[in-house]
Coordinates of all heavy atoms in Angstrom, one line a residue:
V1 N 24.3 2.7 -1.4 CA 24.4 4.0 -0.7 C 23.1 4.4 -0.2 O 22.1 4.5 -0.9 CB 25.0 5.1 -1.6 CG1 25.0 6.4 -0.9 CG2 26.4 4.7 -2.1
M2 N 23.0 4.7 1.1 CA 21.7 5.2 1.7 C 21.4 6.6 1.3 O 22.2 7.5 1.4 CB 21.9 5.1 3.2 CG 20.7 5.4 4.0 SD 19.6 4.0 4.4 CE 20.6 3.1 5.5
N3 N 20.2 6.8 0.8 CA 19.7 8.1 0.5 C 18.6 8.5 1.4 O 17.5 8.0 1.3 CB 19.3 8.2 -1.0 CG 18.8 9.5 -1.4 OD1 18.7 10.4 -0.5 ND2 18.5 9.7 -2.6
T4 N 18.9 9.2 2.5 CA 18.0 9.5 3.5 C 16.8 10.4 3.0 O 15.8 10.4 3.6 CB 18.6 10.2 4.7 OG1 19.3 11.3 4.2 CG2 19.5 9.3 5.4
E5 N 17.0 11.1 1.9 CA 16.0 11.9 1.3 C 14.8 11.1 0.9 O 13.7 11.7 0.9 CB 16.5 12.8 0.2 CG 17.4 13.9 0.6 CD 17.8 14.8 -0.6 OE1 17.4 14.5 -1.7 OE2 18.6 15.7 -0.3
T6 N 15.0 9.9 0.5 CA 13.8 9.1 0.0 C 13.3 8.2 1.1 O 12.4 7.4 0.7 CB 14.2 8.4 -1.2 OG1 15.3 7.5 -0.9 CG2 14.7 9.3 -2.3
F7 N 13.8 8.3 2.3 CA 13.2 7.4 3.3 C 11.7 7.7 3.5 O 11.3 8.8 3.6 CB 14.0 7.6 4.6 CG 13.4 6.9 5.8 CD1 13.7 5.5 6.0 CD2 12.6 7.5 6.7 CE1 13.2 4.9 7.1 CE2 12.1 6.9 7.8 CZ 12.4 5.5 8.0
L8 N 10.9 6.6 3.6 CA 9.5 6.8 3.8 C 9.2 6.4 5.3 O 8.6 7.2 6.0 CB 8.7 5.8 2.9 CG 8.6 6.3 1.4 CD1 8.1 5.1 0.6 CD2 7.8 7.5 1.3
C9 N 9.5 5.2 5.7 CA 9.1 4.7 7.0 C 9.8 3.4 7.2 O 10.3 2.8 6.3 CB 7.6 4.6 7.2 SG 6.8 3.4 6.1
R10 N 9.7 2.9 8.4 CA 10.1 1.6 8.7 C 8.9 0.6 8.4 O 7.8 1.0 8.7 CB 10.6 1.4 10.2 CG 11.8 2.3 10.5 CD 12.2 2.0 11.9 NE 12.4 0.6 12.2 CZ 13.5 -0.1 11.7 NH1 14.4 0.5 11.0 NH2 13.6 -1.4 12.0
A11 N 9.2 -0.5 7.9 CA 8.1 -1.5 7.6 C 7.3 -1.8 8.9 O 6.1 -1.9 8.8 CB 8.7 -2.7 7.0
A12 N 8.0 -1.8 10.0 CA 7.3 -2.2 11.2 C 6.4 -1.1 11.7 O 5.6 -1.3 12.6 CB 8.4 -2.5 12.3
D13 N 6.5 0.1 11.1 CA 5.6 1.3 11.5 C 4.2 1.2 10.9 O 3.4 1.9 11.3 CB 6.3 2.6 11.1 CG 7.5 2.9 11.9 OD1 7.7 2.3 13.0 OD2 8.3 3.7 11.4
V14 N 4.1 0.2 10.0 CA 2.8 0.1 9.3 C 2.2 -1.2 9.7 O 2.6 -2.3 9.3 CB 2.9 0.2 7.8 CG1 1.6 0.4 7.1 CG2 3.9 1.3 7.4
P15 N 1.1 -1.2 10.5 CA 0.5 -2.5 10.9 C -0.1 -3.2 9.8 O -0.6 -2.6 8.8 CB -0.5 -2.1 12.0 CG -0.8 -0.6 11.6 CD 0.4 0.0 11.0
D16 N -0.1 -4.5 9.9 CA -0.8 -5.4 8.8 C -2.2 -5.0 8.8 O -2.9 -4.9 9.8 CB -0.6 -6.8 9.2 CG -1.1 -7.8 8.1 OD1 -1.6 -7.2 7.1 OD2 -1.0 -9.0 8.3
G17 N -2.7 -4.7 7.6 CA -4.1 -4.2 7.4 C -4.3 -2.8 7.7 O -5.4 -2.3 7.7
G18 N -3.2 -2.0 7.8 CA -3.3 -0.6 8.1 C -2.5 0.2 7.2 O -1.9 -0.3 6.2
A19 N -2.4 1.5 7.4 CA -1.7 2.5 6.6 C -1.1 3.6 7.4 O -1.5 3.8 8.5 CB -2.7 3.1 5.6
L20 N -0.1 4.2 6.8 CA 0.6 5.3 7.5 C 0.7 6.5 6.5 O 1.0 6.3 5.3 CB 2.0 4.8 7.8 CG 2.9 5.8 8.6 CD1 2.3 6.0 10.0 CD2 4.3 5.3 8.7
K21 N 0.3 7.6 7.0 CA 0.4 8.8 6.2 C 1.8 9.4 6.3 O 2.3 9.5 7.4 CB -0.6 9.9 6.6 CG -0.6 11.1 5.8 CD -1.8 12.1 6.3 CE -1.8 13.3 5.5 NZ -2.9 14.2 5.9
I22 N 2.4 9.7 5.2 CA 3.7 10.3 5.2 C 3.7 11.7 4.7 O 3.3 12.0 3.5 CB 4.7 9.5 4.2 CG1 4.6 8.0 4.5 CG2 6.1 10.0 4.3 CD1 5.3 7.5 5.7
E23 N 3.9 12.7 5.5 CA 3.9 14.1 5.1 C 5.2 14.4 4.5 O 6.3 13.9 4.9 CB 3.8 15.0 6.4 CG 2.5 14.8 7.2 CD 1.3 15.4 6.5 OE1 1.4 16.0 5.5 OE2 0.2 15.3 7.1
R24 N 5.2 15.3 3.4 CA 6.4 15.7 2.7 C 6.3 17.2 2.6 O 5.3 17.7 2.2 CB 6.5 15.0 1.4 CG 6.5 13.5 1.4 CD 6.8 12.9 0.0 NE 5.7 13.2 -0.9 CZ 5.8 13.0 -2.2 NH1 6.9 12.5 -2.7 NH2 4.8 13.3 -3.0
A25 N 7.5 17.8 2.8 CA 7.5 19.3 2.7 C 7.3 19.7 1.3 O 8.0 19.3 0.4 CB 8.9 19.8 3.2
G26 N 6.3 20.5 1.0 CA 6.0 21.0 -0.3 C 5.5 20.1 -1.3 O 5.5 20.4 -2.5
R27 N 5.3 18.8 -0.9 CA 4.8 17.8 -1.9 C 3.5 17.2 -1.3 O 3.3 17.2 -0.1 CB 5.8 16.7 -2.1 CG 7.2 17.2 -2.2 CD 7.8 17.3 -3.7 NE 7.2 16.3 -4.6 CZ 7.9 15.3 -5.1 NH1 9.1 15.1 -4.7 NH2 7.4 14.6 -6.1
P28 N 2.7 16.6 -2.1 CA 1.5 15.9 -1.6 C 1.9 14.8 -0.7 O 2.9 14.1 -0.9 CB 0.8 15.4 -2.9 CG 1.4 16.1 -4.0 CD 2.8 16.5 -3.6
P29 N 1.1 14.6 0.4 CA 1.4 13.5 1.3 C 1.2 12.1 0.6 O 0.5 12.0 -0.4 CB 0.4 13.7 2.4 CG -0.7 14.4 1.8 CD -0.1 15.3 0.7
L30 N 1.9 11.1 1.1 CA 1.8 9.8 0.6 C 1.2 8.9 1.6 O 1.1 9.2 2.8 CB 3.2 9.2 0.3 CG 4.1 10.0 -0.8 CD1 5.4 9.4 -0.9 CD2 3.3 10.0 -2.1
A31 N 0.7 7.7 1.2 CA 0.2 6.7 2.1 C 0.9 5.4 1.8 O 1.1 5.0 0.7 CB -1.3 6.5 1.9
V32 N 1.4 4.8 2.9 CA 2.0 3.5 2.8 C 1.0 2.5 3.4 O 0.6 2.6 4.5 CB 3.3 3.4 3.6 CG1 3.9 2.0 3.5 CG2 4.3 4.4 3.1
F33 N 0.7 1.5 2.6 CA -0.3 0.4 3.0 C 0.4 -0.9 3.2 O 1.3 -1.2 2.5 CB -1.4 0.2 1.9 CG -2.2 1.5 1.7 CD1 -1.9 2.4 0.8 CD2 -3.4 1.6 2.4 CE1 -2.7 3.5 0.6 CE2 -4.2 2.7 2.2 CZ -3.8 3.7 1.3
N34 N 0.0 -1.6 4.2 CA 0.5 -3.0 4.5 C -0.7 -3.9 4.4 O -1.6 -3.9 5.2 CB 1.1 -3.0 5.9 CG 1.6 -4.4 6.2 OD1 1.3 -5.4 5.5 ND2 2.3 -4.6 7.3
V35 N -0.7 -4.7 3.3 CA -1.8 -5.7 3.1 C -1.2 -7.1 3.2 O -0.6 -7.6 2.3 CB -2.4 -5.5 1.7 CG1 -3.6 -6.4 1.6 CG2 -2.9 -4.1 1.5
G36 N -1.3 -7.6 4.4 CA -0.8 -9.0 4.6 C 0.7 -9.1 4.4 O 1.2 -10.1 3.9
G37 N 1.4 -8.0 4.7 CA 2.9 -8.1 4.5 C 3.3 -7.6 3.1 O 4.5 -7.5 2.9
R38 N 2.4 -7.3 2.2 CA 2.7 -6.6 0.9 C 2.5 -5.1 1.1 O 1.5 -4.7 1.7 CB 1.8 -7.1 -0.2 CG 2.1 -8.5 -0.7 CD 1.1 -8.9 -1.8 NE 1.4 -8.2 -3.0 CZ 0.4 -8.0 -4.0 NH1 -0.8 -8.4 -3.8 NH2 0.7 -7.4 -5.1
F39 N 3.5 -4.4 0.7 CA 3.4 -2.9 0.9 C 3.1 -2.2 -0.4 O 3.5 -2.7 -1.5 CB 4.7 -2.4 1.4 CG 4.9 -2.8 2.9 CD1 5.5 -4.0 3.2 CD2 4.6 -1.9 3.9 CE1 5.7 -4.4 4.5 CE2 4.7 -2.3 5.2 CZ 5.3 -3.5 5.5
F40 N 2.3 -1.1 -0.3 CA 2.0 -0.3 -1.4 C 2.1 1.2 -1.0 O 1.8 1.5 0.1 CB 0.5 -0.5 -1.9 CG 0.2 -2.0 -2.2 CD1 -0.2 -2.9 -1.2 CD2 0.5 -2.5 -3.5 CE1 -0.4 -4.2 -1.6 CE2 0.3 -3.8 -3.8 CZ -0.2 -4.7 -2.8
V41 N 2.6 2.0 -2.0 CA 2.8 3.4 -1.7 C 2.0 4.2 -2.7 O 2.2 4.0 -3.9 CB 4.3 3.8 -1.7 CG1 4.4 5.3 -1.4 CG2 5.1 3.0 -0.7
T42 N 1.1 5.0 -2.3 CA 0.2 5.8 -3.1 C 0.2 7.2 -2.6 O 0.6 7.5 -1.5 CB -1.2 5.3 -3.2 OG1 -1.9 5.6 -1.9 CG2 -1.3 3.8 -3.3
D43 N -0.4 8.1 -3.5 CA -0.8 9.4 -2.9 C -1.8 9.2 -1.8 O -2.6 8.3 -1.9 CB -1.4 10.3 -4.0 CG -0.4 11.0 -4.9 OD1 0.8 10.9 -4.7 OD2 -0.9 11.7 -5.9
D44 N -1.7 10.1 -0.8 CA -2.6 9.9 0.3 C -4.0 10.5 0.1 O -5.0 10.1 0.6 CB -2.0 10.5 1.6 CG -2.9 10.2 2.8 OD1 -3.2 9.0 3.1 OD2 -3.3 11.2 3.5
T45 N -4.0 11.5 -0.8 CA -5.3 12.3 -1.0 C -6.1 11.6 -2.1 O -5.6 11.4 -3.2 CB -4.9 13.7 -1.3 OG1 -4.1 14.3 -0.4 CG2 -6.2 14.6 -1.4
C46 N -7.3 11.4 -1.8 CA -8.3 10.8 -2.7 C -8.3 11.7 -4.0 O -8.2 12.9 -3.9 CB -9.6 10.7 -2.1 SG -10.9 9.8 -3.1
T47 N -8.6 11.1 -5.1 CA -8.7 11.9 -6.4 C -10.1 12.4 -6.5 O -10.3 13.2 -7.5 CB -8.3 11.0 -7.6 OG1 -9.3 9.9 -7.7 CG2 -6.9 10.5 -7.5
H48 N -11.0 12.1 -5.7 CA -12.4 12.6 -5.8 C -12.5 13.8 -4.9 O -13.2 14.8 -5.3 CB -13.4 11.5 -5.3 CG -14.8 12.0 -5.3 ND1 -15.5 12.2 -4.1 CD2 -15.7 12.3 -6.3 CE1 -16.7 12.7 -4.4 NE2 -16.8 12.7 -5.7
G49 N -12.0 13.8 -3.7 CA -12.0 14.9 -2.8 C -10.7 15.1 -2.0 O -9.7 14.6 -2.5
E50 N -10.8 15.6 -0.8 CA -9.6 15.8 -0.1 C -9.4 14.8 1.0 O -8.6 15.0 2.0 CB -9.6 17.2 0.5 CG -9.5 18.3 -0.6 CD -8.2 18.3 -1.4 OE1 -7.1 18.2 -0.7 OE2 -8.3 18.3 -2.6
A51 N -10.1 13.7 1.0 CA -10.0 12.7 2.1 C -8.6 12.1 2.1 O -7.9 12.0 1.1 CB -11.0 11.6 1.8
S52 N -8.2 11.7 3.3 CA -6.9 11.0 3.5 C -7.2 9.5 3.4 O -7.8 8.9 4.2 CB -6.4 11.4 4.9 OG -5.2 10.7 5.1
L53 N -6.6 8.9 2.4 CA -6.9 7.5 2.1 C -6.2 6.6 3.2 O -6.6 5.4 3.4 CB -6.4 7.1 0.7 CG -7.2 7.7 -0.4 CD1 -6.6 7.4 -1.7 CD2 -8.7 7.2 -0.3
S54 N -5.2 7.1 3.9 CA -4.6 6.3 4.9 C -5.6 6.1 6.1 O -5.4 5.2 7.0 CB -3.3 6.9 5.4 OG -3.6 8.2 5.9
E55 N -6.7 6.9 6.1 CA -7.7 6.7 7.1 C -8.9 5.8 6.6 O -9.9 5.7 7.2 CB -8.3 8.0 7.5 CG -7.3 8.9 8.3 CD -7.7 10.3 8.5 OE1 -8.9 10.6 8.3 OE2 -6.8 11.1 8.9
G56 N -8.7 5.3 5.4 CA -9.7 4.5 4.7 C -9.7 3.1 5.2 O -8.9 2.7 6.1
E57 N -10.7 2.3 4.7 CA -10.8 0.9 5.1 C -10.1 0.1 4.0 O -10.3 0.2 2.8 CB -12.3 0.6 5.0 CG -12.7 -0.7 5.7 CD -12.8 -0.5 7.2 OE1 -13.1 0.7 7.7 OE2 -12.6 -1.4 7.9
I58 N -9.3 -0.9 4.5 CA -8.5 -1.7 3.6 C -9.2 -3.1 3.4 O -9.6 -3.7 4.4 CB -7.1 -1.9 4.0 CG1 -6.4 -0.6 4.0 CG2 -6.4 -3.0 3.2 CD1 -5.0 -0.6 4.8
D59 N -9.5 -3.4 2.2 CA -10.0 -4.8 1.9 C -8.9 -5.6 1.4 O -8.4 -5.5 0.3 CB -11.1 -4.7 0.8 CG -11.7 -6.0 0.4 OD1 -11.0 -7.0 0.6 OD2 -12.8 -6.0 -0.1
A60 N -8.4 -6.5 2.3 CA -7.2 -7.3 2.1 C -7.4 -8.3 0.9 O -6.5 -8.5 0.1 CB -6.7 -8.0 3.3
D61 N -8.6 -8.8 0.8 CA -8.9 -9.8 -0.2 C -8.8 -9.2 -1.6 O -8.2 -9.8 -2.5 CB -10.3 -10.5 0.0 CG -10.3 -11.3 1.3 OD1 -9.2 -11.8 1.7 OD2 -11.4 -11.4 1.9
E62 N -9.3 -8.0 -1.7 CA -9.4 -7.4 -3.0 C -8.2 -6.5 -3.2 O -7.9 -6.0 -4.3 CB -10.6 -6.5 -3.2 CG -11.9 -7.3 -3.0 CD -12.2 -8.2 -4.1 OE1 -11.8 -7.9 -5.2 OE2 -12.8 -9.3 -3.9
C63 N -7.4 -6.3 -2.2 CA -6.2 -5.4 -2.2 C -6.7 -4.0 -2.6 O -6.2 -3.4 -3.6 CB -5.1 -5.9 -3.1 SG -3.5 -5.2 -2.7
V64 N -7.7 -3.5 -1.9 CA -8.4 -2.2 -2.3 C -8.5 -1.4 -1.0 O -8.6 -1.9 0.1 CB -9.8 -2.6 -2.8 CG1 -10.8 -1.4 -2.6 CG2 -9.7 -3.0 -4.3
V65 N -8.4 0.0 -1.2 CA -8.7 0.9 -0.1 C -10.0 1.6 -0.4 O -10.2 2.0 -1.6 CB -7.5 1.9 0.1 CG1 -7.2 2.8 -1.1 CG2 -7.8 2.7 1.4
E66 N -10.8 1.7 0.6 CA -12.1 2.4 0.4 C -11.9 3.7 1.1 O -11.5 3.8 2.2 CB -13.2 1.6 1.0 CG -14.6 2.3 0.9 CD -15.7 1.4 1.4 OE1 -15.9 0.3 0.8 OE2 -16.3 1.8 2.4
C67 N -12.3 4.8 0.4 CA -12.1 6.2 0.9 C -13.1 6.4 2.1 O -14.2 6.0 2.0 CB -12.5 7.1 -0.3 SG -12.4 8.9 0.2
P68 N -12.6 7.1 3.1 CA -13.4 7.3 4.3 C -14.6 8.3 4.0 O -15.5 8.4 4.8 CB -12.5 7.8 5.3 CG -11.3 8.4 4.5 CD -11.2 7.6 3.3
W69 N -14.5 9.1 2.9 CA -15.5 10.1 2.8 C -16.8 9.6 2.0 O -17.9 9.7 2.5 CB -15.0 11.3 2.0 CG -14.2 12.2 3.0 CD1 -13.8 11.9 4.2 CD2 -13.7 13.5 2.7 NE1 -13.1 13.0 4.7 CE2 -13.0 14.0 3.8 CE3 -13.8 14.4 1.6 CZ2 -12.4 15.3 3.9 CZ3 -13.2 15.6 1.6 CH2 -12.6 16.1 2.8
H70 N -16.6 9.2 0.8 CA -17.8 8.8 0.0 C -17.7 7.4 -0.5 O -18.4 7.0 -1.5 CB -17.9 9.7 -1.2 CG -17.7 11.2 -0.9 ND1 -16.6 11.9 -1.3 CD2 -18.5 12.0 -0.2 CE1 -16.7 13.1 -0.8 NE2 -17.8 13.2 -0.2
S71 N -16.9 6.6 0.1 CA -16.8 5.1 -0.2 C -16.3 4.8 -1.6 O -16.5 3.7 -2.1 CB -18.1 4.4 0.1 OG -18.5 4.6 1.4
G72 N -15.7 5.8 -2.2 CA -15.0 5.4 -3.5 C -13.8 4.5 -3.1 O -13.5 4.3 -2.0
A73 N -13.3 3.8 -4.1 CA -12.3 2.8 -3.9 C -11.2 2.8 -4.9 O -11.5 3.1 -6.1 CB -12.9 1.4 -3.7
F74 N -10.0 2.3 -4.5 CA -8.9 2.2 -5.5 C -8.2 0.9 -5.3 O -8.0 0.4 -4.1 CB -7.9 3.3 -5.2 CG -8.4 4.7 -5.4 CD1 -8.9 5.4 -4.3 CD2 -8.5 5.3 -6.7 CE1 -9.4 6.7 -4.5 CE2 -9.0 6.6 -6.8 CZ -9.4 7.3 -5.8
D75 N -7.8 0.3 -6.4 CA -6.9 -0.9 -6.4 C -5.5 -0.4 -5.9 O -4.9 0.5 -6.6 CB -6.9 -1.5 -7.8 CG -6.0 -2.7 -7.9 OD1 -4.9 -2.7 -7.3 OD2 -6.5 -3.7 -8.5
L76 N -5.0 -0.9 -4.9 CA -3.7 -0.5 -4.3 C -2.5 -0.8 -5.2 O -1.5 -0.1 -5.2 CB -3.5 -1.0 -2.9 CG -4.4 -0.4 -1.9 CD1 -4.3 -1.2 -0.6 CD2 -4.1 1.1 -1.7
A77 N -2.6 -1.9 -6.0 CA -1.5 -2.3 -6.8 C -1.4 -1.4 -8.1 O -0.3 -1.2 -8.6 CB -1.6 -3.8 -7.2
T78 N -2.5 -1.0 -8.6 CA -2.5 -0.3 -9.9 C -3.0 1.2 -9.8 O -2.7 2.0 -10.7 CB -3.5 -0.9 -10.9 OG1 -4.8 -0.8 -10.4 CG2 -3.2 -2.4 -11.1
G79 N -3.6 1.5 -8.7 CA -4.2 2.9 -8.5 C -5.5 3.1 -9.2 O -6.1 4.2 -9.1
K80 N -5.9 2.1 -9.9 CA -7.2 2.2 -10.7 C -8.4 2.4 -9.8 O -8.5 1.7 -8.8 CB -7.4 1.0 -11.6 CG -6.5 1.0 -12.8 CD -7.0 0.1 -13.9 CE -6.1 0.1 -15.1 NZ -5.6 -1.3 -15.4
P81 N -9.3 3.3 -10.1 CA -10.5 3.5 -9.3 C -11.4 2.3 -9.5 O -11.5 1.8 -10.7 CB -11.1 4.7 -9.9 CG -10.6 4.9 -11.3 CD -9.2 4.3 -11.3
C82 N -11.9 1.8 -8.5 CA -12.8 0.6 -8.6 C -14.0 0.7 -7.7 O -14.6 -0.3 -7.3 CB -12.0 -0.7 -8.2 SG -11.2 -0.6 -6.6
G83 N -14.4 1.9 -7.5 CA -15.7 2.1 -6.8 C -16.1 3.6 -6.9 O -15.3 4.5 -6.8
A84 N -17.4 3.8 -7.3 CA -17.9 5.1 -7.4 C -17.9 5.8 -6.1 O -18.0 5.2 -5.0 CB -19.4 5.0 -7.9
P85 N -17.7 7.1 -6.1 CA -17.6 8.1 -7.2 C -16.3 8.3 -7.8 O -16.1 9.2 -8.6 CB -18.2 9.4 -6.6 CG -17.6 9.3 -5.2 CD -17.6 7.9 -4.8
C86 N -15.3 7.5 -7.5 CA -13.9 7.8 -8.0 C -13.8 7.3 -9.4 O -14.2 6.2 -9.8 CB -12.9 7.0 -7.1 SG -12.9 7.6 -5.4
T87 N -13.3 8.2 -10.3 CA -13.1 7.9 -11.7 C -11.6 8.2 -12.1 O -11.2 7.7 -13.2 CB -14.0 8.8 -12.6 OG1 -13.8 10.2 -12.3 CG2 -15.5 8.4 -12.3
I88 N -10.9 9.0 -11.3 CA -9.5 9.3 -11.7 C -8.6 8.4 -10.9 O -8.7 8.2 -9.7 CB -9.2 10.8 -11.3 CG1 -10.2 11.7 -12.1 CG2 -7.8 11.2 -11.6 CD1 -10.2 13.1 -11.6
A89 N -7.6 7.9 -11.6 CA -6.7 6.9 -11.0 C -5.8 7.6 -9.9 O -5.5 8.8 -10.0 CB -5.7 6.3 -12.0
L90 N -5.5 6.8 -8.9 CA -4.7 7.3 -7.8 C -3.2 7.0 -8.2 O -2.9 6.0 -8.8 CB -5.0 6.5 -6.6 CG -4.3 6.8 -5.3 CD1 -4.8 8.2 -4.8 CD2 -4.6 5.7 -4.2
K91 N -2.4 8.0 -7.9 CA -1.0 7.9 -8.3 C -0.3 6.8 -7.3 O -0.4 7.0 -6.1 CB -0.3 9.2 -8.2 CG 1.1 9.2 -8.8 CD 1.6 10.6 -9.0 CE 3.0 10.6 -9.6 NZ 3.7 11.9 -9.4
I92 N 0.4 5.9 -7.9 CA 1.1 4.9 -7.1 C 2.6 5.2 -7.3 O 3.0 5.7 -8.3 CB 0.8 3.5 -7.5 CG1 1.0 3.2 -8.9 CG2 -0.7 3.2 -7.1 CD1 0.9 1.7 -9.3
H93 N 3.4 4.9 -6.3 CA 4.8 5.2 -6.3 C 5.6 4.0 -6.1 O 5.3 3.1 -5.3 CB 5.0 6.2 -5.1 CG 4.3 7.5 -5.3 ND1 4.8 8.6 -5.9 CD2 3.1 7.9 -4.9 CE1 4.0 9.6 -5.9 NE2 2.9 9.2 -5.3
A94 N 6.7 4.0 -6.9 CA 7.7 2.9 -6.8 C 8.6 3.1 -5.5 O 8.9 4.2 -5.2 CB 8.5 2.8 -8.0
F95 N 8.9 2.0 -4.9 CA 9.7 2.0 -3.7 C 10.5 0.8 -3.6 O 10.3 -0.2 -4.3 CB 8.8 2.2 -2.5 CG 7.9 1.0 -2.2 CD1 8.4 0.0 -1.3 CD2 6.7 0.8 -2.9 CE1 7.6 -1.1 -1.1 CE2 5.9 -0.3 -2.7 CZ 6.4 -1.3 -1.8
E96 N 11.5 0.8 -2.7 CA 12.2 -0.5 -2.4 C 12.2 -0.6 -0.9 O 12.2 0.4 -0.1 CB 13.6 -0.5 -3.0 CG 14.5 0.5 -2.4 CD 15.9 0.3 -3.1 OE1 16.1 -0.7 -3.8 OE2 16.8 1.2 -2.8
C97 N 12.3 -1.9 -0.5 CA 12.3 -2.2 0.9 C 13.8 -2.7 1.2 O 14.2 -3.6 0.5 CB 11.3 -3.3 1.3 SG 11.0 -3.4 3.0
R98 N 14.4 -2.1 2.1 CA 15.8 -2.4 2.4 C 16.1 -2.3 3.9 O 15.7 -1.3 4.6 CB 16.7 -1.3 1.7 CG 18.1 -1.6 1.6 CD 18.8 -0.7 0.6 NE 18.9 0.7 1.1 CZ 18.5 1.7 0.5 NH1 17.9 1.7 -0.6 NH2 18.6 2.9 1.1
D99 N 16.6 -3.4 4.5 CA 16.9 -3.4 5.9 C 15.7 -3.0 6.7 O 15.9 -2.3 7.7 CB 18.1 -2.5 6.2 CG 19.4 -3.0 5.5 OD1 19.5 -4.2 5.2 OD2 20.2 -2.2 5.2
G100 N 14.5 -3.5 6.4 CA 13.3 -3.2 7.2 C 12.8 -1.8 7.0 O 11.9 -1.4 7.8
A101 N 13.2 -1.1 6.0 CA 12.7 0.3 5.8 C 12.3 0.4 4.3 O 12.8 -0.2 3.5 CB 13.7 1.3 6.2
L102 N 11.3 1.4 4.1 CA 10.9 1.6 2.7 C 11.5 2.9 2.2 O 11.5 3.9 3.0 CB 9.3 1.7 2.7 CG 8.6 0.4 2.5 CD1 8.8 -0.5 3.7 CD2 7.1 0.6 2.4
Y103 N 11.9 2.9 1.0 CA 12.5 4.1 0.4 C 11.8 4.3 -1.0 O 11.6 3.4 -1.8 CB 14.0 3.9 0.1 CG 14.8 3.7 1.4 CD1 14.9 2.4 1.9 CD2 15.4 4.8 2.0 CE1 15.6 2.2 3.1 CE2 16.1 4.6 3.2 CZ 16.2 3.3 3.7 OH 16.9 3.2 4.9
L104 N 11.5 5.6 -1.2 CA 10.8 6.0 -2.4 C 11.9 5.9 -3.6 O 13.0 6.4 -3.4 CB 10.3 7.4 -2.3 CG 9.2 7.9 -3.2 CD1 8.0 7.0 -3.1 CD2 8.9 9.3 -2.9
L105 N 11.5 5.4 -4.7 CA 12.3 5.4 -5.9 C 11.9 6.5 -6.8 O 10.7 6.8 -7.0 CB 12.3 4.1 -6.6 CG 12.8 2.9 -5.9 CD1 12.5 1.6 -6.7 CD2 14.3 3.0 -5.6
G106 N 12.9 7.1 -7.5 CA 12.6 8.2 -8.5 C 12.2 9.5 -7.9 O 12.1 9.7 -6.7
Ligands
LIG201 FE1 -12.8 10.0 -1.7 FE2 -15.0 11.3 -2.3 S1 -13.2 12.1 -1.3 S2 -14.6 9.2 -2.6

């Protein structure tokens, strides 16, 4: 059963090596990352400041996003901070890909 409330984006809307910011009414924005065809969904706002991580630099080899403000970094698969000055984990979100679209779980 299709639940349109949890629709995030179409997979084709996120370029390989890029990210898409997803605005949500009354909730923190999310970021969808495409790393070589693997998708990751995280909070969009850095845990160090208010930077938008979907505007960050993606390191495909390390599967890491580097924050555009102070070059902090997070592991996209786990949300763990992996570059100063970030020390607080980034929230990652479970999702499923169905018929070429991503849906948030939970
Ligand atoms: Fe992201 Fe400072 S706001 S590292």
Side-chain angles (χ1 to χ4, degrees):
V1 176
M2 182 91 69
N3 182 351
T4 53
E5 284 183 3
T6 61
F7 173 82
L8 287 168
C9 65
R10 298 184 52 75
D13 293 339
V14 193
D16 187 358
L20 185 68
K21 181 177 182 176
I22 310 284
E23 299 282 3
R24 300 186 297 169
R27 318 259 330 251
L30 300 178
V32 178
F33 296 89
N34 177 354
V35 184
R38 286 179 72 203
F39 289 85
F40 302 92
V41 181
T42 73
D43 277 358
D44 184 56
T45 308
C46 185
T47 62
H48 177 253
E50 294 296 313
S52 176
L53 292 172
S54 56
E55 294 170 13
E57 198 79 30
I58 295 167
D59 180 335
D61 293 333
E62 303 289 331
C63 206
V64 154
V65 61
E66 182 175 293
C67 179
W69 280 13
H70 316 107
S71 303
F74 299 93
D75 183 312
L76 287 171
T78 65
K80 287 200 178 120
C82 54
C86 298
T87 56
I88 301 166
L90 184 67
K91 192 167 181 198
I92 58 171
H93 297 269
F95 65 94
E96 67 177 353
C97 197
R98 194 169 70 234
D99 298 331
L102 274 63
Y103 297 86
L104 200 59
L105 294 176

